[in-house]
């Protein structure tokens, strides 16, 4: 600044016009001294072998910048992500170190794209994925692992998403491994965020998921996952990765045949899979679409 001692880092946003991008315009940029203080705070917390204060790491950074993490600007989030990536070796110190590192790193890098240097960050974190969990017996760490992957999934290339799909297929499709219900839900939600998967892989996942979705149970997250598999308009994936409308129509028909209660949050997922885009290759046929409209009206959907 020409009128004070404040300093800010000048950054340029370079985008690949071939892919969907985030609106990353920022209404606020933190002073460089604030960013350095927050990074020092993370370094002090993660290099402490006793893990003192790690549980409140996020709150401590919030206190430093005097803003809730929900309002942290992208440039600040990525500065924290860079420091956390440098601190990756510290996650091996204890289960607490690893759980907090996964939680904060995934949060600061979500959704995996949007900044010019995210591809480089994802390359580094892909090595973390390949290395796997250090404390894989700790239930909290296993949950944080799936959440971490889900948060950065949009930055993974199609081949990386396919490798992850192959790794979890034994759990979700072949069902050769039993996981606690909460962890299984987290795995499903992570799979639901893999928009670059081949259509055949999404169909295989959906066919394994649909029988598990039943009325009268709190299954909002599984319904969310199915809606992501069958979405007509993807958040970041390319059009060729959209499941054909005939297939999505079959999934919708199966859901509409079940006896849902008014409390079951099935309306929005069905509407998302039936959403009209104006693209005839993605939209449901008119008869099926009208059936969905009538079903939603019958349920007094919003």
């Amino acid at each position: 600044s020409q009128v004070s001692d404040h300093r800010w880092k000048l950054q340029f946003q370079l985008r690949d016009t071939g892919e969907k991008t985030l609106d990353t315009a920022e209404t606020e940029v933190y002073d460089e001294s604030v960013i350095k203080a927050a990074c020092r705070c993370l370094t002090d917390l993660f290099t402490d072998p006793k893990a003192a204060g790690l549980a409140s790491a996020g709150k401590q950074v919030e206190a430093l910048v005097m803003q809730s993490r929900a309002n942290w600007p992208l440039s600040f989030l990525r500065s924290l992500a860079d420091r956390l990536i440098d601190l990756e070796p510290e996650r091996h110190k204890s289960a607490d170190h690893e759980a907090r590192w996964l939680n904060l790193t995934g949060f600061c890098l979500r959704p995996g794209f949007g900044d010019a240097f995210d591809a480089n960050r994802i390359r580094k974190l892909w090595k973390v994925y390949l290395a796997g969990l250090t404390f894989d017996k700790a239930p909290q760490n296993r949950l944080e692992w799936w959440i971490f992957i889900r948060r950065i999934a949009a930055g993974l290339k199609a081949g990386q998403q396919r490798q992850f799909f192959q790794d979890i297929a034994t759990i979700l499709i072949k069902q050769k491994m039993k996981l606690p219900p909460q962890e299984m839900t987290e795995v499903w939600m992570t799979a639901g965020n893999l928009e670059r998967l081949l259509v055949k892989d999404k169909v295989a996942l959906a066919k394994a998921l649909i029988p598990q979705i039943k009325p009268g149970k709190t299954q909002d997250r599984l319904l969310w996952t199915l809606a992501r598999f069958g979405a007509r308009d993807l958040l970041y994936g390319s059009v060729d990765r959209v499941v054909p409308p005939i297939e999505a129509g079959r999934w919708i028909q199966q859901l509409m045949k079940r006896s849902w209660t008014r409390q079951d949050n099935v309306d929005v997922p069905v509407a998302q899979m039936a959403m009209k885009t104006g693209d005839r290759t993605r939209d449901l046929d008119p008869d099926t679409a009208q059936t969905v409209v009538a079903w939603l009206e019958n349920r007094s959907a919003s």
Side-chain angles (χ1 to χ4, degrees):
S1 171
Q2 294 181 338
V3 295
S4 72
D5 294 331
H6 294 93
R7 297 176 64 86
W8 298 271
K9 182 180 291 187
L10 179 63
Q11 293 182 311
F12 294 94
Q13 185 65 44
L14 307 178
R15 297 181 176 180
D16 179 355
T17 56
E19 296 197 5
K20 293 184 179 180
T21 57
L22 292 174
D23 179 4
T24 57
E26 296 185 338
T27 57
E28 184 174 3
V29 178
Y30 292 163
D31 186 276
E32 191 69 11
S33 63
V34 173
I35 297 174
K36 288 181 178 179
C39 290
R40 280 197 303 271
C41 175
L42 291 179
T43 300
D44 292 343
L45 290 170
F46 278 96
T47 54
D48 182 356
K50 296 181 180 179
L54 258 185
S56 62
K59 291 183 178 180
Q60 292 187 51
V61 175
E62 285 180 333
L64 278 173
V65 302
M66 294 183 291
Q67 265 194 334
S68 166
R69 71 190 71 187
N71 297 321
W72 292 349
L74 180 71
S75 57
F76 179 62
L77 286 165
R78 294 308 193 260
S79 294
L80 296 183
D82 288 337
R83 178 54 58 92
L84 287 163
I85 290 172
D86 289 340
L87 290 168
E88 188 273 334
E90 306 298 329
R91 77 179 174 103
H92 305 289
K93 283 183 175 178
S94 71
D96 287 340
H97 279 84
E98 183 172 55
R100 186 53 50 189
W101 186 88
L102 290 168
N103 181 279
L104 287 174
T105 304
F107 179 83
C108 290
L109 200 57
R110 74 197 199 287
F113 69 97
D115 181 81
F117 299 102
D118 279 347
N120 186 52
R121 297 179 179 109
I122 292 295
R123 277 194 293 270
K124 295 176 180 179
L125 293 181
W126 182 246
K127 294 178 181 179
V128 173
Y129 170 72
L130 295 177
L133 269 174
T134 300
F135 300 92
D136 58 354
K137 303 299 182 185
Q140 185 61 38
N141 290 46
R142 296 181 66 86
L143 292 176
E144 296 290 358
W145 177 250
W146 303 117
I147 295 170
F148 163 72
I149 298 167
R150 181 168 76 245
R151 282 173 165 171
I152 68 170
L156 299 178
K157 295 180 180 179
Q160 292 170 327
Q161 291 196 2
R162 184 110 213 287
Q163 181 172 340
F164 178 74
F165 162 76
Q166 291 172 328
D167 292 342
I168 62 173
T170 54
I171 301 173
L172 300 182
I173 298 176
K174 299 177 182 177
Q175 300 181 1
K176 291 184 177 181
M177 187 184 302
K178 293 288 185 179
L179 297 180
Q182 185 178 0
E183 184 177 349
M184 182 66 83
T185 299
E186 294 294 348
V187 182
W188 272 117
M189 291 183 69
T190 303
N193 201 25
L194 304 178
E195 290 193 351
R196 294 193 175 99
L197 282 183
L198 298 172
V199 168
K200 67 175 184 177
D201 295 335
K202 293 183 180 182
V203 171
L205 285 164
K207 287 182 176 179
L209 176 61
I210 290 173
Q212 301 180 42
I213 301 176
K214 300 176 182 178
K217 294 185 178 181
T218 305
Q219 296 185 314
D220 295 3
R221 293 184 172 189
L222 295 184
L223 284 164
W224 174 90
T225 299
L226 182 63
R228 291 295 300 274
F229 289 147
R232 300 297 85 207
D233 189 26
L234 302 182
L235 298 177
Y236 66 87
S238 54
V239 175
D240 64 315
R241 300 304 162 102
V242 174
V243 170
I246 292 178
E247 188 67 43
R250 293 193 189 102
W251 305 349
I252 293 171
Q253 294 287 358
Q254 291 182 61
L255 291 180
M256 292 193 302
K257 289 178 181 178
R258 295 173 186 173
S259 301
W260 301 98
T261 67
R262 294 293 180 188
Q263 288 69 42
D264 291 320
N265 295 319
V266 68
D267 302 344
V268 171
V270 167
Q272 287 175 335
M273 289 189 288
M275 185 180 74
K276 191 171 184 179
T277 68
D279 179 357
R280 288 183 294 178
T281 65
R282 288 183 287 159
D283 289 349
L284 301 184
D285 67 85
D287 290 341
T288 303
Q290 190 54 46
T291 301
V292 174
V293 170
W295 182 82
L296 290 171
E297 289 177 342
N298 187 55
R299 282 183 54 77
S300 300
S302 63

